[in-house]
């Protein structure tokens, strides 16, 4: 893979002469690597990509109905056939996302400028089992917790998802049963709808104020559409994701001054005390 190619994670030849294989082995987030590739992709999309009116209108309608006037945390969970040998790492457990979601909602609930009713979490995923696991975890932990804030049905009103095509099939790899990726399931849905689903998910993630995610081209596409998210995100695929959370909360240690950093100084200070799930 060319050193000049846009990359969503560590593979191929690197733009700076460093070994992407060693980056992958280190399992640590390289800010310079990601900012470089996200910047390149952002310039390409800004110059050449124009959305069809149907896609643009559907996306904007969803934003108006669900995001308007709220502080929004975007969550992308890549599951199904995701494997480390492909370069993107293993599937991240839903519980790890839940830790960050709870801290975000706690910050919003205690913020005099926001409040729990003005916070939302948008979850995008192709994995039904990951989504079910996340919702079960949040239902159990949030319903009681947020009654004190006057919200008796926290997960149903705060956690937002879209009805997209997800495969009901499973397959076996090396003795492990895995969900089938919807794009590899020719018996479920049409190709156009699958592509439309993932494009709108990426566009919606790009319009969130913060983003937590693993290694995936879908979550990277959110940065390609909105480069400002680079300073307001946490990449959970790497062992040092807590350090990233600290920097996002404090608004330092990353590419300050590059892109819009208006939310990088938001007081999401609860992230600084997170422990690994």
């Amino acid at each position: 893979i060319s050193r000049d190619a846009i990359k969503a994670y560590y593979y191929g030849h690197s733009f700076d002469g460093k070994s992407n294989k060693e980056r992958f082995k280190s399992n640590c987030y390289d800010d310079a690597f990601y900012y470089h590739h996200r910047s390149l992709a952002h310039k390409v999309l800004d110059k050449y990509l124009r959305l069809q009116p149907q896609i643009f209108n559907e996306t904007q309608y969803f934003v108006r109905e669900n995001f308007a006037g709220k502080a929004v945390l975007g969550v992308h969970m890549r599951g199904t056939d995701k494997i480390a040998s492909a370069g993107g790492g293993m599937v991240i457990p839903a519980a790890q996302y839940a830790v960050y979601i709870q801290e975000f909602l706690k910050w919003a609930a205690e913020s005099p400028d926001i409040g729990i009713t003005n916070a939302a979490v948008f979850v995008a995923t192709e994995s039904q089992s990951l989504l079910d696991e996340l919702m079960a975890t949040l239902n159990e932990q949030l319903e009681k917790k947020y009654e004190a804030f006057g919200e008796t049905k926290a997960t149903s009103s705060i956690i937002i998802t879209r009805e997209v095509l997800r495969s009901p099939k499973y397959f076996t790899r090396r003795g492990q049963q895995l969900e089938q990726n919807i794009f590899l399931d020719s018996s479920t849905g049409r190709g156009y709808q699958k592509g439309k689903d993932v494009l709108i998910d990426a566009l919606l993630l790009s319009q969130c104020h913060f983003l937590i995610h693993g290694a995936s081209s879908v979550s990277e596409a959110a940065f390609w559409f909105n480069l400002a998210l680079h300073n307001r995100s946490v990449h959970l695929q790497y062992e040092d994701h807590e350090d990233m959370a600290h920097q996002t909360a404090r608004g330092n240690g990353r590419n300050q001054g590059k892109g819009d950093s208006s939310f990088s100084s938001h007081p999401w200070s609860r992230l600084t005390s997170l422990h690994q799930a």
Side-chain angles (χ1 to χ4, degrees), residues 115-185:
I116 191 63
T117 56
N118 291 319
V121 178
F122 172 64
V123 180
T125 181
E126 91 291 6
S127 170
Q128 188 62 51
S129 66
L130 267 182
L131 181 60
D132 291 343
E133 184 181 347
L134 178 70
M135 296 303 289
T137 300
L138 294 175
N139 272 321
E140 179 181 352
Q141 297 179 359
L142 295 182
E143 292 294 343
K144 294 180 180 179
K145 192 172 184 178
Y146 290 104
E147 286 179 0
F149 297 102
E151 184 62 53
T152 57
K153 295 182 179 180
T155 50
S156 62
S157 60
I158 296 172
I159 311 301
I160 303 166
T161 61
R162 294 177 61 237
E163 290 294 327
V164 300
L165 289 174
R166 298 185 178 96
S167 177
K169 295 183 177 180
Y170 285 79
F171 69 100
T172 301
R173 177 195 287 147
R174 298 175 184 174
Q176 182 182 9
Q177 190 177 46
L178 300 171
E179 284 179 288
Q180 182 66 275
N181 188 306
I182 185 63
F183 282 93
L184 300 177
D185 182 358

Side-chain angles (χ1 to χ4, degrees), residues 66-85:
N66 296 282
F67 295 179
K70 297 182 178 181
V72 185
L73 171 65
V75 178
H76 181 247
M77 301 191 299
R78 172 71 164 89
T80 61
D81 60 346
K82 178 178 171 68
I83 54 173
S85 61

Side-chain angles (χ1 to χ4, degrees), residues 26-39:
S26 74
N27 198 30
C28 291
Y29 177 80
D30 188 320
D31 186 80
F33 172 93
Y34 278 100
Y35 189 78
H36 172 81
H37 290 287
R38 290 167 180 174
S39 297

Side-chain angles (χ1 to χ4, degrees), residues 73-79 82 90-104 121-126 130-131 133-134 137-138 141 211-216 219 234-237 241 268 271 274 277:
L73 171 65
V75 178
H76 181 247
M77 301 191 299
R78 172 71 164 89
K82 178 178 171 68
M90 300 299 290
V91 174
I92 299 168
Q96 198 162 315
Y97 294 95
V99 172
Y100 282 83
I101 292 171
Q102 291 175 68
E103 292 298 330
F104 170 77
V121 178
F122 172 64
V123 180
T125 181
E126 91 291 6
L130 267 182
L131 181 60
E133 184 181 347
L134 178 70
T137 300
L138 294 175
Q141 297 179 359
L211 179 61
I212 58 174
H213 63 98
S216 168
S219 48
V234 180
H235 201 316
L236 298 184
Q237 201 69 54
H241 62 82
W268 194 4
L271 283 173
L274 284 180

